[in-house]
Amino acid sequence: MSDLLSFENPVFGQFAFYSGIVICKTMAMSLLTSVTRMKNRAFANPEDYKLRGKPGDEGKPVTNATVERIRRCHLNDLENVIPFVLIGLLYVCTKPDPSTALMHFRAFTGLRIFHTFAYLIPLPQPSRALGFLLGAVVTGSMAVAVLKAGSY
């Protein structure tokens, strides 16, 4: 078992690489939210105005359409990347075919990146929905493999 979750196992190495990409992308969304808040002076909390607000600002939370779009994209990442990483870790333990596993990891990563571009540009629907749904299918496929391997 210990060999499965080590970089000696090429499937685990691929999983770690692609998981690292989508985790870093998710983390970058936090930074993008903060930068966009500052640029648009759309602070969420009154105390933030004291630090960065102009004199005369009332200190009331301000919503901004761009900030909210980025936040929704980030939330969608959290809802999808965390299950991918957790299911993927279990999937690695099923000893999948390396080429099939690589296809899953690459597809999910590419679809999450596509989803982000589709969300932030924004691209016309159903492009964003397809990016989300196909990514969910990839995670679901791995989940089915885990459930099959773990069934008695």
Side-chain angles (χ1 to χ4, degrees):
M1 177 69 152
S2 63
D3 291 344
L4 287 175
L5 299 179
S6 76
F7 286 96
E8 302 292 319
N9 177 1
V11 173
F12 178 78
Q14 294 165 352
F15 169 71
F17 176 76
Y18 288 103
S19 291
I21 289 173
V22 293
I23 290 168
C24 288
K25 189 203 91 51
T26 302
M27 291 169 37
M29 296 304 293
S30 293
L31 180 60
L32 183 59
T33 301
S34 296
V35 168
T36 306
R37 277 193 188 286
M38 298 292 264
K39 178 181 165 193
N40 291 291
R41 305 182 55 69
F43 303 109
N45 302 300
E47 62 271 16
D48 298 338
Y49 277 96
K50 291 179 182 177
L51 180 63
R52 301 294 299 174
K54 288 194 279 188
D57 282 343
E58 295 178 25
K60 294 180 184 173
V62 174
T63 59
N64 175 277
T66 304
V67 171
E68 291 308 310
R69 180 170 283 275
I70 295 167
R71 284 174 28 89
R72 288 189 306 272
C73 184
H74 186 205
L75 179 60
N76 193 278
D77 272 350
L78 292 170
E79 293 167 349
N80 288 275
V81 170
I82 292 170
F84 168 78
V85 171
L86 294 174
I87 291 291
L89 195 57
L90 297 173
Y91 178 68
V92 168
C93 294
T94 69
K95 301 179 186 176
D97 172 67
S99 61
T100 302
L102 183 58
M103 178 191 67
H104 280 91
F105 306 152
R106 284 181 176 169
F108 183 84
T109 301
L111 288 162
R112 287 316 302 170
I113 291 168
F114 172 77
H115 178 270
T116 298
F117 282 110
Y119 216 131
L120 299 183
I121 288 177
L123 296 177
Q125 282 288 35
S127 54
R128 186 180 81 235
L130 287 172
F132 162 76
L133 288 172
L134 293 173
V137 167
V138 169
T139 303
S141 173
M142 293 189 308
V144 167
V146 168
L147 293 172
K148 282 182 179 178
S151 66
Y152 292 98

